[in-house]
Amino acid sequence: MSKGFTEDFEQSYDYNYEDYASHTGDPSLDEYNRQHFKMPESVKNFLVYFRNNVNEGLIFELQALYEHTWPKLTEDYFEKRPWPEESEVATIVDSDPVFMILYKELYFRHIYARIQGGPSLEQRFNSFYNYCDLFNYILSAEEPVPLELPDLWLWELIDEFVYQFQSFAQYRSRLQNKKEQELETLNSNNKVWNVLCVLNVLHSLVDKSNIKQQLEVYASGGDPDSVSGEFGSHSLYKMLGYFSLVGLLRLHSLLGDYYQAIKLQVLENIEVHKKSQYAHIPACQISTSYYVGFAYMMMRRYSDAIRTFSSILLYIQRTKQLFASKTYQHDQINKQTDQMYHLLAICLVLHPQCIDESIQQTLREKSYHEKMYKMQYGDLQEFENSFVYACPKFLSPYPPPIDSLPGDYSKEAIQHQTQVFMEEVAQQKMLPTIRSYLKLYTTLPLSKLATFMAQNSRTSEASNRDLDKEMQSLVIHLLCFKHKMKNVVWSKGASGLEGKFQSGSELDFYIDNDMIHIADTKVAHRYGDFFIRKILKFEDLNRKLHQLKL
Amino acid sequence: MAEGMKQTVASMLKGIERYNPDNLPTLERYVEVQSRENSYDLEANLAVLKLYQFNPLSFNVEVTCQILLKALTNLPHTDFILCKCLLYDKQLAQEPINQIVYLADILEQCDFQLFWTRIRTLPDLTQSITGFVDSIRKFVCHVVGITYQTIERTHLAQLLGDVDDNTLKIWVKKYGWKEMAENLIFIANQDENIKTKNINEKIDFENVGAIMASCR
């Protein structure tokens, strides 16, 4: 259940897979461990109670069991060991098939998250088969299945499904340290965690629920139930459909397909400030904004990326206290928040523009400020470091060819996306320097700026300069400046791909024959907000003082 | 023909169908139709690259080249980047894909003179793409249109690929630009759009209403 942990531990547990395998390797010892651990009475009672609630569809009770009791029991008894095996649990719950699938989903999720050494190959396979059972049950039914689960659970279920695919793809592409037999098993089971299968599940859930149509109707002010169909009006199908859209967004992004990633989203729904019936799982909102913002950044739609990031970061700033109590969500959210500040910093260096004051405040903190400063001065390494830290963990959809030499292929996809991004940055290399000169003037002759630029790049030998050549290369940079700063910006409509060309950056200019005319954005100090906050604080204090009884 | 195919292809791109390798031959043919008839369908072309990503053995250099060149004809849109993100490093390094990547790089940097010099040495590369050169000129005109208020006539001719006087006149007319005295061409009144903005704080009544009410 703790995605924050899994992300962080993933590297270490997969590398050290052989050393830290949870099984001792000695069958008799494993058997001893299993028998040695007797299921506590409280766990038994919990499982029976849990199952009854699932069958009766008591959604509020299930929510409490899922969000509080399960993590609590995990902490008490299963901090470092797996939950009881399938066979043990089956006897307690009369082998209830649906409950067993749900139990196993939680069981494997816990192994991925908490067990040192991570899942074994067999566990990865079994978890996949369990997901197949679950989705078959839900998708192949002739009428909606009588199952209701809390939204948070459904979100974490879909998110985990994509995560386990990601984890498998990474594991699969590390050919070093893999034994012959392990490779053979992998090669002969290439349908397991196959990308098409994962895509198929997510697409089927989207189609079954008519969620896209529902969202479009909802966005235009209509009643989503009018298009939901038999399945889509059920909360289970509707929410699984919605979360699958986010799952697809993540999956497409991991594969570098930004067009599909954005195309699938109905943009009105990621505008977090709007209250929406779908937008009440913070982790889902944050994840959506992260991937949408990232895709926009790669498409050089900086204004859209900046808007997406600032709006979610503002939301996180304002609701921080709400997450603080649930630690396992908190870690994940903290990590993704930090990544988004990095991405926002990159976007603002490439495309300076005004943003909300409180977000600006955070970016002024030392760690971000220093990075932005370096990037502004053309430090390509800093761009790359920030990008690699903040980007999704890209995957290649298929394992390395069977005859590949042993080695680590898991980094290839991330290297490729980094390279594409760095090529874009390199193309824009001269823009910050030009911007810094233009900021000082309202009009500036081309020849004068050419001289400045030349001084910047030339050593002291001033004798053999060639003004014509310098002018020529300056004009190229200026054209490039205008081209790169004019990008598609979304304004309205359901599709996030739409938009119009706009120049959203704070500094702009035009050339009239041989004179540059510069337009800057000047922002006056803001006092209102400051005073309002102080007044409110004072009022509050005053009220409290009045309440004091002496 | 392209119009007719559009419908067939659209049904191949819906949901999970998009990943069906059986559609590849039709989609590849559609790429060729686009090249020949000077039409464009980014989504279909990305689906081809996606199928290559999923089935590396089907990778076809020629079709990929056409897709990449077609992406260049749609500048200033960032289609080329979207295509690049779906290809592997090794594929991008192959001849003549690497040539196209280089062309894209200099176009993105707006080094148009270098681009025209380069393209003259590669006559075969873009031959199969109908209207390629004019599409690039459109992109040049877009950049000129957003950058200049007036531009020197000779400079504009250079940017368009050293075009002769007649061709230059055609492009100037097409964009509604005007020839002026002293070898200058008037592009647009940029000073109407590009001006210094002052953002001052505006506090409206709604924002302070609650506070005023509580201060009674």
Side-chain angles (χ1 to χ4, degrees):
Chain A
M1 226 170 293
S2 66
K3 289 310 284 303
F5 291 112
T6 31
E7 289 276 356
D8 289 339
F9 282 141
E10 212 228 336
Q11 294 286 326
S12 55
Y13 72 55
D14 271 1
Y15 279 123
N16 302 327
Y17 172 65
E18 294 297 335
D19 307 332
Y20 290 103
S22 59
H23 292 257
T24 56
D26 179 345
S28 61
L29 249 177
D30 278 341
E31 193 54 34
Y32 169 79
N33 271 340
R34 205 170 294 148
Q35 282 170 359
H36 186 70
F37 179 76
K38 204 169 157 296
M39 201 192 304
E41 220 36 51
S42 54
V43 173
K44 250 183 221 170
N45 293 339
F46 163 74
L47 289 170
V48 172
Y49 186 63
F50 198 5
R51 175 225 174 181
N52 292 343
N53 277 295
V54 168
N55 284 340
E56 284 164 39
L58 298 172
I59 200 85
F60 288 107
E61 195 55 32
L62 277 176
Q63 196 169 344
L65 290 173
Y66 178 81
E67 282 184 50
H68 304 294
T69 320
W70 175 277
K72 179 77 175 58
L73 288 173
T74 301
E75 204 176 294
D76 289 351
Y77 303 108
F78 308 106
E79 186 74 62
K80 290 205 165 68
R81 62 162 76 233
W83 272 71
E85 301 254 338
E86 185 182 353
S87 54
E88 271 180 274
V89 176
T91 53
I92 301 173
V93 298
D94 310 326
S95 305
D96 182 327
V98 175
F99 181 77
M100 281 315 294
I101 294 175
L102 294 174
Y103 174 77
K104 280 198 292 187
E105 203 271 326
L106 295 175
Y107 165 85
F108 286 120
R109 223 198 282 179
H110 173 247
I111 289 180
Y112 271 82
R114 290 292 183 87
I115 303 306
Q116 210 176 24
S120 67
L121 186 56
E122 195 190 346
Q123 286 166 333
R124 287 177 190 273
F125 277 28
N126 286 336
S127 178
F128 174 78
Y129 292 130
N130 190 54
Y131 276 115
C132 293
D133 290 343
L134 175 65
F135 294 127
N136 274 333
Y137 167 66
I138 292 172
L139 286 167
S140 57
E142 304 224 327
E143 51 188 54
V145 296
L147 180 65
E148 251 192 287
L149 295 176
D151 289 346
L152 183 66
W153 189 345
L154 295 176
W155 156 248
E156 290 183 342
L157 193 148
I158 295 290
D159 198 42
E160 180 73 15
F161 178 58
V162 178
Y163 167 73
Q164 289 192 12
F165 163 73
Q166 179 188 345
S167 166
F168 183 83
Q170 302 248 330
Y171 160 82
R172 184 69 187 85
S173 57
R174 290 191 196 110
L175 294 185
Q176 80 277 37
N177 301 330
K178 280 214 175 33
K179 297 205 177 74
E180 194 104 349
Q181 199 200 339
E182 203 180 350
L183 278 171
E184 215 165 276
T185 318
L186 284 166
N187 285 332
S188 55
N189 286 286
N190 50 20
K191 287 269 183 294
V192 177
W193 287 119
N194 182 295
V195 65
L196 284 178
C197 174
V198 178
L199 281 166
N200 196 9
V201 165
L202 298 174
H203 273 290
S204 305
L205 287 168
V206 168
D207 291 346
K208 196 94 179 168
S209 58
N210 287 335
I211 189 68
K212 274 225 73 165
Q213 295 87 324
Q214 291 200 50
L215 288 173
E216 273 157 19
V217 170
Y218 185 74
S220 59
D223 176 13
D225 284 338
S226 63
V227 290
S228 62
E230 191 191 356
F231 287 89
S233 55
H234 277 248
S235 159
L236 178 83
Y237 289 90
K238 178 165 69 184
M239 293 322 287
L240 278 177
Y242 181 76
F243 297 138
S244 295
L245 280 177
V246 183
L248 281 169
L249 163 68
R250 176 171 171 190
L251 186 56
H252 285 310
S253 303
L254 291 175
L255 297 171
D257 192 346
Y258 306 113
Y259 184 91
Q260 284 297 313
I262 296 278
K263 184 176 182 247
L264 280 162
Q265 302 309 307
V266 177
L267 211 64
E268 260 91 356
N269 276 284
I270 63 158
E271 302 284 307
V272 282
H273 53 273
K274 286 188 195 153
K275 286 266 178 290
S276 145
Q277 58 168 312
Y278 309 98
H280 55 280
I281 307 287
C284 171
Q285 290 299 106
I286 292 165
S287 183
T288 309
S289 299
Y290 168 75
Y291 287 106
V292 167
F294 185 83
Y296 275 142
M297 184 185 88
M298 290 303 277
M299 294 162 91
R300 212 199 301 136
R301 293 178 62 163
Y302 300 126
S303 281
D304 285 329
I306 290 168
R307 188 193 60 242
T308 310
F309 289 138
S310 335
S311 125
I312 193 76
L313 289 169
L314 210 56
Y315 165 81
I316 295 171
Q317 258 186 12
R318 286 184 184 150
T319 50
K320 222 173 191 164
Q321 293 90 338
L322 288 180
F323 315 133
S325 55
K326 297 171 188 162
T327 44
Y328 72 90
Q329 289 183 355
H330 196 56
D331 286 346
Q332 159 80 349
I333 287 170
N334 273 347
K335 171 98 187 275
Q336 223 160 31
T337 305
D338 192 37
Q339 287 180 314
M340 286 195 282
Y341 273 115
H342 277 80
L343 294 173
L344 181 62
I346 292 176
C347 290
L348 285 170
V349 169
L350 295 173
H351 186 272
Q353 80 176 65
C354 293
I355 54 163
D356 188 277
E357 185 55 33
S358 54
I359 302 291
Q360 191 72 60
Q361 197 64 42
T362 310
L363 287 176
R364 271 189 216 112
E365 281 164 19
K366 195 169 171 283
S367 64
Y368 300 119
H369 184 78
E370 219 166 77
K371 285 176 182 153
M372 286 180 80
Y373 181 82
K374 280 190 191 164
M375 288 191 271
Q376 256 146 16
Y377 280 84
D379 185 339
L380 294 180
Q381 194 56 49
E382 188 56 55
F383 269 106
E384 191 168 332
N385 294 348
S386 294
F387 181 86
V388 170
Y389 168 76
C391 71
K393 303 277 165 282
F394 296 106
L395 303 175
S396 141
Y398 275 94
I402 292 181
D403 52 2
S404 304
L405 296 168
D408 187 354
Y409 294 84
S410 63
K411 298 273 184 293
E412 277 185 356
I414 200 166
Q415 276 162 2
H416 176 57
Q417 300 295 323
T418 310
Q419 198 192 325
V420 172
F421 175 74
M422 289 308 292
E423 279 163 12
E424 179 64 47
V425 172
Q427 287 164 4
Q428 302 192 26
K429 185 176 79 214
M430 294 308 287
L431 307 195
T433 315
I434 293 180
R435 190 177 287 119
S436 66
Y437 283 121
L438 292 182
K439 260 193 173 299
L440 305 173
Y441 299 87
T442 50
T443 53
L444 181 63
L446 277 174
S447 56
K448 198 166 164 188
L449 181 55
T451 315
F452 289 156
M453 299 288 291
Q455 274 166 358
N456 204 31
S457 61
R458 209 179 38 225
T459 47
S460 56
E461 302 154 41
S463 53
N464 51 2
R465 50 175 302 215
D466 178 349
L467 187 64
D468 269 357
K469 246 200 175 135
E470 285 165 10
M471 288 272 279
Q472 253 180 27
S473 85
L474 171 67
V475 168
I476 291 168
H477 294 321
L478 288 173
L479 289 170
C480 180
F481 190 116
K482 290 294 289 192
H483 162 54
K484 297 284 190 188
M485 288 304 109
K486 189 152 191 123
N487 293 306
V488 178
V489 181
W490 176 84
S491 58
K492 61 181 188 309
S495 168
L497 286 169
E498 281 164 25
K500 286 200 189 97
F501 275 101
Q502 285 177 22
S503 306
S505 188
E506 60 187 20
L507 183 122
D508 204 354
F509 68 89
Y510 65 88
I511 307 175
D512 190 11
N513 193 14
D514 48 14
M515 183 65 90
I516 312 171
H517 295 256
I518 299 129
D520 201 353
T521 309
K522 297 196 172 83
V523 184
H525 274 287
R526 299 169 75 91
Y527 299 107
D529 213 35
F530 175 79
F531 279 110
I532 287 174
R533 246 177 268 173
K534 293 288 165 190
I535 292 168
L536 286 175
K537 211 168 173 185
F538 178 71
E539 280 291 314
D540 193 43
L541 198 66
N542 222 352
R543 210 169 26 248
K544 280 187 187 138
L545 281 173
H546 278 293
Q547 281 164 357
L548 283 181
K549 283 177 191 145
L550 293 172
Chain B
M1 190 163 169
E3 271 310 305
M5 279 189 90
K6 208 178 166 112
Q7 294 298 324
T8 329
V9 166
S11 69
M12 290 180 173
L13 302 178
K14 279 205 180 108
I16 198 75
E17 244 328 83
R18 190 176 135 87
Y19 311 101
N20 184 351
D22 296 343
N23 292 334
L24 196 51
T26 314
L27 290 170
E28 287 179 329
R29 218 164 39 242
Y30 186 45
V31 173
E32 266 162 45
V33 171
Q34 292 173 51
S35 306
R36 207 168 50 233
E37 301 187 2
N38 198 9
S39 61
Y40 187 55
D41 190 336
L42 171 67
E43 196 170 355
N45 295 354
L46 289 174
V48 173
L49 296 182
K50 190 79 191 173
L51 283 167
Y52 291 159
Q53 190 189 41
F54 282 8
N55 311 280
L57 294 176
S58 313
F59 182 69
N60 180 324
V61 179
E62 246 166 74
V63 175
T64 307
C65 283
Q66 291 190 28
I67 292 175
L68 290 173
L69 289 168
K70 286 304 285 183
L72 289 184
T73 64
N74 203 33
L75 279 165
H77 287 273
T78 49
D79 300 3
F80 195 85
I81 297 179
L82 292 173
C83 295
K84 240 185 353 183
C85 287
L86 288 176
L87 291 162
Y88 295 100
D89 278 343
K90 280 187 197 123
Q91 296 167 335
L92 287 169
Q94 273 181 38
E95 286 279 348
I97 297 180
N98 56 358
Q99 304 270 11
I100 304 174
V101 172
Y102 178 69
L103 289 179
D105 192 48
I106 48 184
L107 275 178
E108 279 282 0
Q109 294 184 61
C110 298
D111 197 343
F112 299 121
Q113 272 136 301
L114 182 58
F115 172 82
W116 295 118
T117 322
R118 188 81 185 182
I119 203 90
R120 265 174 221 125
T121 65
L122 305 161
D124 299 337
L125 189 65
T126 61
Q127 210 173 29
S128 60
I129 314 290
T130 309
F132 181 78
V133 169
D134 278 351
S135 302
I136 301 298
R137 288 197 180 123
K138 263 189 212 160
F139 170 55
V140 174
C141 288
H142 160 84
V143 179
V144 168
I146 57 174
T147 309
Y148 283 96
Q149 178 148 303
T150 53
I151 185 171
E152 246 182 69
R153 201 165 192 281
T154 41
H155 186 211
L156 180 61
Q158 272 173 3
L159 292 176
L160 289 170
D162 284 323
V163 291
D164 58 35
D165 213 48
N166 269 336
T167 320
L168 182 68
K169 276 190 177 131
I170 293 171
W171 284 93
V172 167
K173 196 169 167 227
K174 187 174 162 162
Y175 281 84
W177 299 339
K178 287 191 182 65
E179 306 229 19
M180 296 162 59
E182 294 174 55
N183 193 25
L184 287 178
I185 290 173
F186 174 79
I187 304 289
N189 258 329
Q190 306 284 7
D191 46 4
E192 284 173 7
N193 300 320
I194 303 173
K195 22 183 184 202
T196 297
K197 279 175 269 183
N198 288 309
I199 300 181
N200 289 313
E201 186 175 24
K202 285 190 193 100
I203 302 174
D204 46 27
F205 194 72
E206 250 174 54
N207 291 342
V208 286
I211 291 205
M212 290 173 81
S214 69
C215 290
R216 271 181 304 177

